[in-house]
Amino acid sequence: MMRQPSKRLNHLSADIFSEMEARKREVAKTRTVYDLSIGSPDQQPDEKLLQTLIHAIWQPTSFRYPLSEGTAAFREEVARWYQYRFGVELAPDGEVHSLMGSQDGLAHFALAWTDPGDIVLVPDPGYPIYEGSVHLAGAVPYRMPLRAENEFLPKLTDIPEEIAARATFIILNYPNNPVSAVATLAFFEEVVAFAKRFDIIVVHDLAYSEMVFDGYQAPSFLQVPGAKEVGIEFNSFSKSFNMAGCRIAYVVGNADIIKPLAIVKSNIDYGVFLPVQQMAIEALRKDRESGGENTVAPVYQERRDVLLGALAKAGWSIPSPKATMFVWAAVPNGWTSREFAFALLEKAGVVVVPGSAFGEEGEGYVRIALVQPPEILLEAVAAIDQSGILRMKTSV
């Protein structure tokens, strides 16, 4: 075949994930593999949610085309939940829009708001779709370093004024994937002031709002006075309610910012399957009525504690995150992130993602997903310890 695919694909980060998958299949031929790479929940939804889905499927109207923006009932429940959870008031018409997963909305937002050559501020390291969506739209990403010395928050004052003045929007994500950092309302106040000064749209990904530990409560960017004037927020049912395969999420906030995204989506899809919307409504209603007793977070808090405790005994001490389903771990001295990730797989059968897969600032780290039960995590740590890899060094 003579023709070549679009050059846009050259900027998408599929290579490392494909390489890890190929190596994993090869290693699995001869030994047990412990896959701690992709953040895909391994639990099923609450039984009440499953029963809601089953009942909705049998309704005669369930297989009609849904509205792209979501049913009125779905949007109203999202607005009620945001008021309950964050004290944020939302108008169901205009300020709430359903999505086929938050990645769907994030992937299409740049198409709605940028023209080729426009600048977008993206985190580095960052979830791949942030920068990938910018490239797909023909815009130009400006990478904001997230570093340990600044608690993995971008230093907005380090962004050159000429860049900020040209930027269309800024993407933020707290609690953060991949670095598992959290942000305060004081930081978001800085963000709002920055956005107003330079006329920048704020896009905040809050997909891990309910996957929080040790009594920590993740704030919404929209809690800050004036935030709705400059931004929007994405949230998802994937992690909070074990509904990753259902593909449902939503965007909330400034109606004028949401509208162009809604136009793009109305030309691409017909919205989320109606029974899945019913399931999502029940998830939010049940969470409100239970007083926020989310059953997902304790599962991952236990896994975090088991994994980090065992790794510390094996000689690998890692800071304990307050949120997300990931651990962001500095690799031992002498390794690059890719070398260490590949060595873990080949010598211990443990699959993690090298931090460099998420951007240049991810070098020197690996991301470990808490997607196995405690007993399997202990087996994985035993395999790492027995391999001796934590006591090895290599030249960089």
Side-chain angles (χ1 to χ4, degrees):
M1 183 175 180
M2 297 298 294
R3 292 190 177 274
Q4 298 296 313
S6 169
K7 292 182 176 63
R8 295 183 183 91
L9 302 187
N10 296 337
H11 298 286
L12 303 185
S13 59
D15 289 350
I16 182 60
F17 295 99
S18 298
E19 185 176 358
M20 291 297 295
E21 181 62 28
R23 292 196 183 203
K24 181 182 76 172
R25 287 196 299 267
E26 193 64 29
V27 171
K29 294 177 182 178
T30 58
R31 65 175 303 151
T32 300
V33 168
Y34 305 95
D35 195 342
L36 308 180
S37 59
I38 305 302
S40 181
D42 60 313
Q43 306 289 296
Q44 71 174 30
D46 180 87
E47 183 178 350
K48 180 62 187 257
L49 306 190
L50 294 176
Q51 291 299 327
T52 300
L53 177 64
I54 291 167
H55 176 75
I57 283 174
W58 283 101
Q59 303 309 302
T61 58
S62 288
F63 291 85
R64 297 176 180 177
Y65 284 123
L67 296 172
S68 180
E69 64 263 31
T71 66
F74 174 78
R75 289 180 280 111
E76 288 165 3
E77 188 56 49
V78 169
R80 278 191 289 269
W81 188 81
Y82 249 70
Q83 175 63 54
Y84 151 77
R85 174 66 174 81
F86 302 112
V88 172
E89 292 187 10
L90 297 168
D93 294 330
E95 294 183 346
V96 181
H97 197 289
S98 72
L99 302 168
M100 292 179 173
S102 54
Q103 179 156 313
D104 161 36
L106 289 159
H108 292 131
F109 189 80
L111 290 174
W113 274 100
T114 63
D115 292 311
D118 287 352
I119 291 176
V120 177
L121 308 178
V122 300
D124 178 10
Y127 187 55
I129 195 58
Y130 300 153
E131 186 167 327
S133 67
V134 175
H135 286 299
L136 287 172
V140 180
Y142 177 88
R143 296 172 178 170
M144 303 178 293
L146 307 186
R147 294 171 178 157
E149 58 264 31
N150 199 45
E151 299 181 309
F152 296 104
L153 298 170
K155 291 190 70 174
L156 301 179
T157 54
D158 285 353
I159 299 171
E161 289 201 5
E162 60 271 24
I163 295 294
R166 292 176 54 202
T168 303
F169 63 92
I170 178 173
I171 301 177
L172 299 170
N173 165 219
Y174 294 97
N176 184 281
N177 175 17
V179 304
S180 298
V182 297
T184 63
L185 283 175
F187 169 73
F188 287 134
E189 288 171 358
E190 289 182 39
V191 171
V192 170
F194 175 80
K196 289 185 174 182
R197 178 185 176 193
F198 293 103
D199 191 24
I200 293 173
I201 295 170
V202 178
V203 176
H204 184 228
D205 181 7
L206 189 57
Y208 294 90
S209 67
E210 307 313 292
M211 198 169 280
V212 291
F213 316 132
D214 305 322
Y216 172 73
Q217 290 288 309
S220 163
F221 156 75
L222 295 174
Q223 288 177 251
V224 173
K228 201 192 295 185
E229 298 170 19
V230 297
I232 59 171
E233 192 162 73
F234 292 91
N235 208 326
S236 169
F237 293 81
S238 296
K239 309 304 191 296
S240 299
F241 302 103
N242 288 321
M243 291 171 56
C246 297
R247 308 317 302 142
I248 182 166
Y250 52 87
V251 59
V252 297
N254 186 293
D256 291 332
I257 296 174
I258 292 173
K259 187 174 181 180
L261 173 59
I263 292 171
V264 169
K265 285 188 57 58
S266 69
N267 281 272
I268 292 174
D269 65 66
Y270 282 98
V272 177
F273 186 37
L274 290 170
V276 170
Q277 292 192 55
Q278 283 296 117
M279 186 183 185
I281 290 169
E282 179 60 26
L284 295 179
R285 185 198 63 77
K286 186 174 183 293
D287 188 64
R288 283 191 300 108
E289 293 181 356
S290 71
E293 292 181 5
N294 190 294
T295 59
V296 172
V299 170
Y300 289 93
Q301 179 171 322
E302 179 188 15
R303 294 177 180 187
R304 176 204 64 176
D305 294 343
V306 167
L307 177 70
L308 296 189
L311 285 175
K313 290 180 180 178
W316 191 7
S317 295
I318 301 168
S320 182
K322 292 182 180 180
T324 81
M325 64 195 305
F326 304 109
V327 170
W328 187 243
V331 303
N333 291 335
W335 298 89
T336 67
S337 60
R338 286 174 66 98
E339 288 171 343
F340 188 69
F342 290 143
L344 269 183
L345 173 57
E346 290 160 6
K347 296 181 181 298
V350 177
V351 191
V352 299
V353 181
S356 56
F358 302 100
E360 293 178 3
E361 293 292 335
E363 179 53 63
Y365 294 86
V366 292
R367 191 192 73 177
I368 307 172
L370 302 170
V371 292
Q372 299 288 351
E375 61 271 19
I376 301 300
L377 293 175
L378 289 174
E379 289 182 20
V381 174
I384 293 172
D385 195 23
Q386 291 166 12
S387 74
I389 189 173
L390 297 177
R391 296 177 289 278
M392 298 177 187
K393 288 188 178 181
T394 186
S395 59
V396 178

